[in-house]
PDB file of all heavy atoms in Angstrom:
ATOM      1  N   SER B   7      18.759 134.459  89.780  1.00  0.00           N
ATOM      2  CA  SER B   7      18.716 135.276  90.990  1.00  0.00           C
ATOM      3  C   SER B   7      19.852 134.970  91.962  1.00  0.00           C
ATOM      4  O   SER B   7      19.883 135.479  93.073  1.00  0.00           O
ATOM      5  CB  SER B   7      17.374 135.055  91.705  1.00  0.00           C
ATOM      6  OG  SER B   7      17.203 133.679  91.962  1.00  0.00           O
ATOM      7  N   PHE B   8      20.800 134.127  91.529  1.00  0.00           N
ATOM      8  CA  PHE B   8      21.917 133.746  92.404  1.00  0.00           C
ATOM      9  C   PHE B   8      23.161 133.660  91.523  1.00  0.00           C
ATOM     10  O   PHE B   8      23.267 132.790  90.671  1.00  0.00           O
ATOM     11  CB  PHE B   8      21.619 132.388  93.045  1.00  0.00           C
ATOM     12  CG  PHE B   8      22.626 131.951  94.087  1.00  0.00           C
ATOM     13  CD1 PHE B   8      22.382 132.147  95.443  1.00  0.00           C
ATOM     14  CD2 PHE B   8      23.806 131.324  93.717  1.00  0.00           C
ATOM     15  CE1 PHE B   8      23.297 131.734  96.401  1.00  0.00           C
ATOM     16  CE2 PHE B   8      24.734 130.907  94.679  1.00  0.00           C
ATOM     17  CZ  PHE B   8      24.466 131.111  96.026  1.00  0.00           C
ATOM     18  N   VAL B   9      24.059 134.612  91.696  1.00  0.00           N
ATOM     19  CA  VAL B   9      25.223 134.665  90.814  1.00  0.00           C
ATOM     20  C   VAL B   9      26.502 134.697  91.644  1.00  0.00           C
ATOM     21  O   VAL B   9      26.648 135.510  92.550  1.00  0.00           O
ATOM     22  CB  VAL B   9      25.174 135.899  89.883  1.00  0.00           C
ATOM     23  CG1 VAL B   9      26.445 135.984  89.033  1.00  0.00           C
ATOM     24  CG2 VAL B   9      23.938 135.842  88.987  1.00  0.00           C
ATOM     25  N   THR B  10      27.403 133.778  91.327  1.00  0.00           N
ATOM     26  CA  THR B  10      28.700 133.788  91.985  1.00  0.00           C
ATOM     27  C   THR B  10      29.744 134.272  90.989  1.00  0.00           C
ATOM     28  O   THR B  10      29.647 134.002  89.796  1.00  0.00           O
ATOM     29  CB  THR B  10      29.051 132.404  92.567  1.00  0.00           C
ATOM     30  OG1 THR B  10      30.270 132.527  93.318  1.00  0.00           O
ATOM     31  CG2 THR B  10      29.243 131.360  91.494  1.00  0.00           C
ATOM     32  N   THR B  11      30.702 135.029  91.494  1.00  0.00           N
ATOM     33  CA  THR B  11      31.708 135.595  90.592  1.00  0.00           C
ATOM     34  C   THR B  11      33.104 135.430  91.179  1.00  0.00           C
ATOM     35  O   THR B  11      33.296 135.378  92.391  1.00  0.00           O
ATOM     36  CB  THR B  11      31.479 137.115  90.382  1.00  0.00           C
ATOM     37  OG1 THR B  11      31.598 137.793  91.640  1.00  0.00           O
ATOM     38  CG2 THR B  11      30.106 137.401  89.798  1.00  0.00           C
ATOM     39  N   VAL B  12      34.049 135.337  90.271  1.00  0.00           N
ATOM     40  CA  VAL B  12      35.456 135.430  90.624  1.00  0.00           C
ATOM     41  C   VAL B  12      35.955 136.647  89.850  1.00  0.00           C
ATOM     42  O   VAL B  12      35.588 136.830  88.687  1.00  0.00           O
ATOM     43  CB  VAL B  12      36.205 134.150  90.214  1.00  0.00           C
ATOM     44  CG1 VAL B  12      37.687 134.268  90.500  1.00  0.00           C
ATOM     45  CG2 VAL B  12      35.626 132.960  90.966  1.00  0.00           C
ATOM     46  N   PRO B  13      36.734 137.517  90.480  1.00  0.00           N
ATOM     47  CA  PRO B  13      37.080 138.785  89.846  1.00  0.00           C
ATOM     48  C   PRO B  13      37.724 138.626  88.460  1.00  0.00           C
ATOM     49  O   PRO B  13      38.469 137.683  88.225  1.00  0.00           O
ATOM     50  CB  PRO B  13      38.083 139.416  90.811  1.00  0.00           C
ATOM     51  CG  PRO B  13      37.868 138.744  92.100  1.00  0.00           C
ATOM     52  CD  PRO B  13      37.325 137.382  91.802  1.00  0.00           C
ATOM     53  N   CYS B  14      37.397 139.554  87.564  1.00  0.00           N
ATOM     54  CA  CYS B  14      38.002 139.571  86.243  1.00  0.00           C
ATOM     55  C   CYS B  14      37.959 141.003  85.740  1.00  0.00           C
ATOM     56  O   CYS B  14      36.928 141.677  85.849  1.00  0.00           O
ATOM     57  CB  CYS B  14      37.221 138.669  85.287  1.00  0.00           C
ATOM     58  SG  CYS B  14      37.777 138.863  83.581  1.00  0.00           S
ATOM     59  N   LYS B  15      39.088 141.451  85.195  1.00  0.00           N
ATOM     60  CA  LYS B  15      39.197 142.827  84.722  1.00  0.00           C
ATOM     61  C   LYS B  15      38.230 143.071  83.564  1.00  0.00           C
ATOM     62  O   LYS B  15      37.524 144.072  83.517  1.00  0.00           O
ATOM     63  CB  LYS B  15      40.642 143.049  84.258  1.00  0.00           C
ATOM     64  CG  LYS B  15      41.099 144.483  84.235  1.00  0.00           C
ATOM     65  CD  LYS B  15      42.602 144.499  83.945  1.00  0.00           C
ATOM     66  CE  LYS B  15      43.101 145.883  83.583  1.00  0.00           C
ATOM     67  NZ  LYS B  15      44.516 145.817  83.156  1.00  0.00           N
ATOM     68  N   GLN B  16      38.186 142.092  82.642  1.00  0.00           N
ATOM     69  CA  GLN B  16      37.368 142.250  81.441  1.00  0.00           C
ATOM     70  C   GLN B  16      35.879 142.276  81.782  1.00  0.00           C
ATOM     71  O   GLN B  16      35.087 142.874  81.074  1.00  0.00           O
ATOM     72  CB  GLN B  16      37.679 141.098  80.482  1.00  0.00           C
ATOM     73  CG  GLN B  16      37.107 141.247  79.093  1.00  0.00           C
ATOM     74  CD  GLN B  16      37.738 140.269  78.113  1.00  0.00           C
ATOM     75  OE1 GLN B  16      38.632 140.623  77.368  1.00  0.00           O
ATOM     76  NE2 GLN B  16      37.283 139.030  78.133  1.00  0.00           N
ATOM     77  N   LEU B  17      35.511 141.579  82.863  1.00  0.00           N
ATOM     78  CA  LEU B  17      34.088 141.482  83.230  1.00  0.00           C
ATOM     79  C   LEU B  17      33.743 142.363  84.430  1.00  0.00           C
ATOM     80  O   LEU B  17      32.664 142.229  85.013  1.00  0.00           O
ATOM     81  CB  LEU B  17      33.728 140.028  83.540  1.00  0.00           C
ATOM     82  CG  LEU B  17      33.780 139.047  82.365  1.00  0.00           C
ATOM     83  CD1 LEU B  17      33.411 137.643  82.838  1.00  0.00           C
ATOM     84  CD2 LEU B  17      32.850 139.472  81.241  1.00  0.00           C
ATOM     85  N   ALA B  18      34.657 143.269  84.784  1.00  0.00           N
ATOM     86  CA  ALA B  18      34.460 144.081  85.993  1.00  0.00           C
ATOM     87  C   ALA B  18      33.121 144.820  85.959  1.00  0.00           C
ATOM     88  O   ALA B  18      32.406 144.893  86.968  1.00  0.00           O
ATOM     89  CB  ALA B  18      35.618 145.064  86.162  1.00  0.00           C
TER      90      ALA B  18
END
Side-chain angles (χ1 to χ4, degrees):
Chain B
S7 56
F8 186 98
V9 176
T10 186
T11 61
V12 177
C14 171
K15 202 172 167 187
Q16 191 165 261
L17 293 179

